[in-house]
Amino acid sequence: MGMQQSAHIVWDWNGTLFHDNDAIIGATNAAFAELGLEPITLERYRALYCVPVPKFYERLMGRLPSDLEWEVMDGAFQRHYAEHRVRCGLTEGAAELLAGWGADGHSQSLLSMYGHEELVPLVRGLGIESHFLRVDGRTGPSGGGKAEHMVRHLEAMSTLVDPERTVVIGDAADDALAAQHVGARAVLYTGGSHGPESLRGTGVPVVDSLAEAVAEARRIAS
């Protein structure tokens, strides 16, 4: 099979296609409570969040968590997130945008740092799996960046997807870094984990809706 000539979007999941801000903040505060830390507001979370995640905790605690603290906090987060996420759903308009992008003859895939074994049935249950060439969640330890995962994700589609015509749509500065790492472009959405100011510092286009993100992806991948 030859390299396709259409544009490709690599979608992020948490905070992008999946509107789970309430679950994220609820699970974060549950993890903090297990170490006796004060709860955090969504606004403060969005102002301070970064990857790798232990650096985020350092911003809040004034020091890096110990290995044991990180293990406790990460375990608590994962447990409580699983409980909170059942009340979350797709970001408004996401299903229609996925269908429209495909109908225009373009391709798309999903790469998340949420665990692969949890991600796949969640995507399938929401009825959108068929829109993607590939769905990849995180394998291995949590808390790290997306760049090397992006390398493997695109390599798995190398006969179908051209990195130069690929746009990563996500809600975190780390999505822009991962795109740059593989020679792709990025568009960042302000409705997820990062506040607008921190996203603008990446130098890539920043938008307030997924519809704007797709329109920008169409423009820069043409």
Side-chain angles (χ1 to χ4, degrees), residues 105-154:
H106 303 303
S107 62
Q108 53 203 325
S109 59
L110 175 58
L111 175 62
S112 174
M113 298 308 289
Y114 190 42
H116 184 77
E117 297 303 318
E118 293 77 27
L119 175 68
V120 172
L122 181 55
V123 172
R124 186 172 297 144
L126 288 167
I128 59 172
E129 184 181 24
S130 62
H131 293 302
F132 304 114
L133 292 180
R134 188 174 182 87
V135 175
D136 285 327
R138 172 185 48 79
T139 57
S142 62
K146 187 178 276 188
E148 293 307 319
H149 294 268
M150 186 68 73
V151 171
R152 293 190 291 272
H153 184 70
L154 290 187

Side-chain angles (χ1 to χ4, degrees), residues 35-127:
L35 286 180
L37 299 175
E38 291 296 317
I40 186 174
T41 64
L42 178 60
E43 291 72 23
R44 183 163 169 77
Y45 179 95
R46 281 162 49 84
L48 296 178
Y49 181 74
C50 65
V51 174
V53 178
K55 293 291 290 182
F56 166 58
Y57 289 139
E58 180 182 28
R59 292 179 175 184
L60 295 167
M61 301 169 63
R63 61 176 176 81
L64 278 171
S66 68
D67 290 345
L68 178 59
E69 287 172 329
W70 164 247
E71 184 177 342
V72 169
M73 295 169 81
D74 185 50
F77 176 88
Q78 301 298 337
R79 289 195 310 274
H80 289 283
Y81 178 82
E83 296 172 4
H84 285 279
R85 80 174 193 200
V86 298
R87 295 186 290 275
C88 301
L90 293 174
T91 300
E92 183 177 0
E96 293 79 8
L97 290 167
L98 292 172
W101 182 259
D104 287 343
H106 303 303
S107 62
Q108 53 203 325
S109 59
L110 175 58
L111 175 62
S112 174
M113 298 308 289
Y114 190 42
H116 184 77
E117 297 303 318
E118 293 77 27
L119 175 68
V120 172
L122 181 55
V123 172
R124 186 172 297 144
L126 288 167

